[in-house]
Amino acid sequence: MRDPGRVGAAVEVLSGFRNRSLPLGILISDWGRNARFAGSKDRAFVRGLCLDVLRRWRSFDGQSSVRCAVYLTLRDVWGWEDARVEAAFAGDHGPGWLTTEELAVEPLGEPDIPAFCDTLAPQLEPQDVAAMLERAPVDLRVNTLKASPEKALKALQSLGAEPSPLSDVGLRIAPPPAAEKGPGVTVIPAFGKGWVEVQDEGSQLTVLSAGALDGAQVLDLCAGSGGKTLALAASMGNTGQIHAYDAIPERLAPIHERLRRAGARNVQVIGANEAHRLDTLRGRMDLVFVDAPCSGSGTWRRHPDTKWRLTPAHLSARQEEQDAILREAAGYVKPGGVLHYVTCSYFEAENEDRAGDFLADQPDFELADPLGGLPPGAFRERLETYATDKALRLAPWSSGTDAFTLLRFQRKA
């Protein structure tokens, strides 16, 4: 495919998103099934262009004119010359050249987050919002049950991997240009052998900040597909016991194969239809890890379509779920034990505000130092830059990771 066909395809996909607000991945897959001439490079181009447009959907006024948003992205973000942009729009299979009125549209200067979120994040500066418009790197966690960071790094040198800035078990691959395919991490031998897992560095840090857990009893209450369960297993060196549970069976389904590949042997998986098994864990856990459902605002640079599908009703529902999960998690923590509450959100409404309600409802818990599980040393000093007395806050504009917030509660002995 040439430029006109590719640009026309992006306009088609984004028009579908505006009209139906479906996940971008579904819309691109639907287009790809019907585009028999599209190769892998074409699909990468269309996906990359759509993502960059959606990162600026509000400031480029994509809701009013998809063609304008695509035009502004090619001109101002991708740096295409005017002649190439015009040829792409006006050529065969292109979306048609813009009208005089469309050509007169300029960026609106609006922050590129949903309008109702403006009041939820008043602390954000323009440069903070701008950091969410950048393409994110590919972060990997070295599975120390099977490989050392040095061994894994050597195996991934062909992909341009480098040690992560903050995580001692992290590797980072710079993002490719928007129109090109990303690195084939999951097809390299090191991945198949279980040496590495794809995991954002911020996500890794929320696990590593728990400190030494050798021999501990741990409950991963919202285990999902097992990303943090695997990180916990490696951090614990296959000692102790991790109980991995998720209320939604579909989320938990991939965990079995991931555990096998990683060589994690200290994990018991509790299915959604086995919730009664959780009763035996009440009041016994050294650590309950809650990776709570949330708005996902911390991942908007990776998944910009999700921010435009978020509504006040969805956010309110997530907050209710967060409160309910915190109440449930409290019952499994033993006296003196710890509850780690994590979201991939920078909204205080999903973090500090939830903590306030939780503590009012659970007087036997107190908010603890978010890095209280770490001994003095270089790693703790690195994280202290991003910690307050209430929370560990990571974000694209500060730590260069996705946005994660960690609050650490301790049950009184």
Side-chain angles (χ1 to χ4, degrees):
M1 294 175 66
R2 300 183 182 277
D3 284 351
R6 290 173 163 181
V7 172
V11 170
E12 175 187 338
V13 170
L14 290 167
S15 296
F17 176 81
R18 182 183 65 177
N19 296 333
R20 294 188 289 167
S21 193
L22 292 173
L24 182 64
I26 292 177
L27 294 168
I28 290 179
S29 295
D30 290 345
W31 164 77
R33 280 192 292 270
N34 297 319
R36 57 185 181 132
F37 297 113
S40 60
K41 292 184 178 180
D42 300 316
R43 288 190 290 272
F45 180 104
V46 172
R47 174 180 169 80
L49 180 54
C50 288
L51 287 171
D52 269 352
V53 171
L54 288 172
R55 289 186 177 101
R56 299 160 179 83
W57 193 240
R58 183 177 173 189
S59 62
F60 283 2
D61 201 18
Q63 192 63 36
S64 297
S65 173
V66 171
R67 295 200 316 166
C68 274
V70 173
Y71 166 75
L72 291 171
T73 301
L74 291 172
R75 187 193 72 179
D76 296 351
V77 181
W78 286 26
W80 280 20
E81 296 180 354
D82 290 343
R84 185 179 180 183
V85 177
E86 182 173 355
F89 273 83
D92 292 341
H93 308 295
W97 186 230
L98 278 67
T99 65
T100 302
E101 291 77 13
E102 289 175 319
L103 288 171
V105 173
E106 291 293 336
L108 303 177
E110 298 286 342
D112 274 292
I113 58 177
F116 81 91
C117 294
D118 289 347
T119 57
L120 297 176
Q123 71 275 18
L124 290 186
E125 300 293 336
Q127 62 268 24
D128 299 338
V129 177
M132 291 191 288
L133 306 182
E134 301 297 326
R135 290 182 289 277
V138 176
D139 284 347
L140 305 170
R141 178 185 57 79
V142 178
N143 176 24
T144 51
L145 296 176
K146 287 196 168 183
S148 67
E150 294 76 20
K151 184 178 181 180
L153 178 61
K154 185 176 181 180
L156 274 78
Q157 282 183 336
S158 62
L159 299 181
E162 298 285 347
S164 294
L166 298 173
S167 170
D168 291 332
V169 292
L171 301 177
R172 174 164 289 182
I173 302 173
E180 297 181 11
K181 293 175 61 178
V185 172
T186 59
V187 298
I188 61 173
F191 182 86
K193 295 176 182 177
W195 293 4
V196 294
E197 290 284 342
V198 178
Q199 186 176 29
D200 181 79
E201 187 181 24
S203 180
Q204 298 175 38
L205 296 174
T206 63
V207 173
L208 294 173
S209 63
L213 296 169
D214 293 359
Q217 289 289 316
V218 177
L219 171 60
D220 188 357
L221 190 57
C222 304
S225 63
K228 293 184 175 66
T229 302
L230 294 172
L232 284 163
S235 178
M236 295 165 66
N238 261 341
T239 66
Q241 189 75 66
I242 303 171
H243 308 268
Y245 171 79
D246 199 282
I248 301 178
E250 295 78 12
R251 290 180 183 168
L252 200 59
I255 196 172
H256 300 282
E257 171 58 24
R258 297 185 73 185
L259 290 171
R260 183 202 62 77
R261 188 176 68 243
R265 299 187 302 274
N266 64 336
V267 179
Q268 289 190 27
V269 179
I270 302 175
N273 62 339
E274 302 174 303
H276 60 278
R277 291 173 56 191
L278 291 173
D279 291 338
T280 64
L281 308 180
R282 291 192 176 277
R284 294 177 47 204
M285 297 295 102
D286 298 292
L287 170 68
V288 175
F289 197 101
V290 174
D291 186 5
C294 66
S295 64
S297 59
T299 65
W300 281 350
R301 61 176 183 163
R302 295 185 188 275
H303 309 292
D305 57 311
T306 61
K307 63 181 171 180
W308 308 118
R309 293 190 289 115
L310 180 68
T311 66
H314 291 151
L315 182 61
S316 178
R318 297 294 84 77
Q319 291 171 281
E320 291 178 4
E321 291 176 7
Q322 290 153 10
D323 289 341
I325 289 171
L326 275 170
R327 286 194 298 270
E328 180 183 3
Y332 301 107
V333 182
K334 74 178 187 181
V338 172
L339 193 167
H340 266 210
Y341 173 79
V342 175
T343 71
C344 53
S345 169
Y346 60 86
F347 294 153
E348 291 185 3
E350 297 187 275
N351 295 293
E352 286 88 346
D353 291 355
R354 305 278 58 77
D357 289 354
F358 172 72
L359 293 173
D361 186 58
Q362 302 285 338
D364 55 336
F365 280 82
E366 57 189 0
L367 193 61
D369 176 2
L371 304 180
L374 294 175
F379 180 63
R380 179 179 175 123
E381 290 174 2
R382 289 200 296 271
L383 292 191
E384 284 175 345
T385 303
Y386 315 106
T388 67
D389 59 343
K390 293 183 178 180
L392 174 66
R393 282 191 158 271
L394 306 165
W397 52 88
S398 58
S399 58
T401 68
D402 287 350
F404 282 90
T405 304
L406 162 68
L407 294 108
R408 178 182 174 95
F409 302 96
Q410 187 154 20
R411 188 171 187 175
K412 298 173 185 177

